């Protein structure tokens, strides 16, 4: 079994020397990359209409600035959110037994001072839920699915902004 440990160490050692660091690590953002954490703190998020938009804005603030550290807002993130409910399973009697909830967000990150758009992108996440016999149960299932999908979207947007920051940082 000792040979297996040596094998793993020999695989991991070159990664440590090349500057590799995992993007999805559970380590605090501030200790992993303080410059990126400062960049995220400098982003203000425009209002997003509807309840799902408010949930997305709150989830984004939690993802980008979990410690709620205040700083000057140098960047503005504009998000346009679109929601679609698509029937997934249609029975022979034409009743729908499962739906797919799809959210699509169009992102524009701009500099606050100049208004120049420095990043544009899209994020699309989806989830599904059963159409039960009770209207209340369907309402609750749709709401729960929407909340989980919005949380996933916030993480996806954070990953896109992380990728943008890393690419921009390498260019400078």
């Amino acid at each position: 079994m000792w040979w297996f440990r040596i094998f793993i160490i020999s695989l991991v050692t070159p990664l440590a020397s090349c500057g590799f660091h995992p993007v999805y690590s559970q380590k605090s953002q501030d200790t992993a990359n303080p410059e990126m954490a400062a960049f995220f703190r400098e982003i203000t998020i425009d209002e997003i209409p509807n309840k799902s938009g408010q949930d997305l804005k709150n989830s984004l603030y939690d993802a980008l600035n979990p410690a709620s550290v205040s700083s000057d807002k140098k960047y503005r993130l504009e998000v346009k959110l679109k929601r679609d409910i698509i029937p997934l399973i249609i029975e022979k009697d034409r009743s729908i037994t499962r739906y797919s909830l799809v959210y699509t967000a169009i992102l524009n990150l701009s500099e606050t001072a100049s208004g120049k758009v420095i990043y544009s992108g899209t994020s699309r996440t989806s989830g599904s839920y059963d159409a039960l016999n009770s209207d209340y149960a369907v309402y609750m299932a749709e709401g729960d699915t929407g909340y989980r999908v919005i949380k996933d979207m916030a993480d996806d947007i954070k990953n896109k902004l992380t990728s943008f920051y890393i690419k921009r940082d390498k260019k400078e």
Side-chain angles (χ1 to χ4, degrees), residues 46-96:
D46 285 355
E47 291 298 319
I48 309 170
N50 301 324
K51 183 187 181 314
S52 54
Q54 292 173 359
D55 289 342
L56 178 59
K57 183 177 179 178
N58 291 337
S59 296
L60 279 171
Y61 272 128
D62 290 343
L64 298 177
N65 190 3
S68 298
V69 177
S70 63
S71 69
D72 293 337
K73 302 300 181 185
K74 296 180 183 175
Y75 305 99
R76 189 176 127 247
L77 181 64
E78 179 186 4
V79 180
K80 292 181 181 156
L81 190 63
K82 181 183 174 207
R83 177 182 150 192
D84 292 315
I85 298 177
I86 303 166
L88 274 182
I89 300 176
I90 303 173
E91 299 293 333
K92 289 182 181 180
D93 65 351
R94 297 182 66 164
S95 63
I96 300 170

Side-chain angles (χ1 to χ4, degrees), residues 36-52:
M36 189 182 329
F39 169 72
F40 286 153
R41 284 192 299 267
E42 294 171 343
I43 297 175
T44 186
I45 303 167
D46 285 355
E47 291 298 319
I48 309 170
N50 301 324
K51 183 187 181 314
S52 54

Side-chain angles (χ1 to χ4, degrees), residues 133-141:
N133 294 334
S134 165
D135 289 340
Y136 180 72
V138 172
Y139 174 77
M140 293 304 291

Side-chain angles (χ1 to χ4, degrees), residues 120-136:
S120 291
T122 59
S123 175
R124 183 171 190 219
T125 55
S126 65
S128 61
Y129 61 94
D130 288 329
L132 306 168
N133 294 334
S134 165
D135 289 340
Y136 180 72

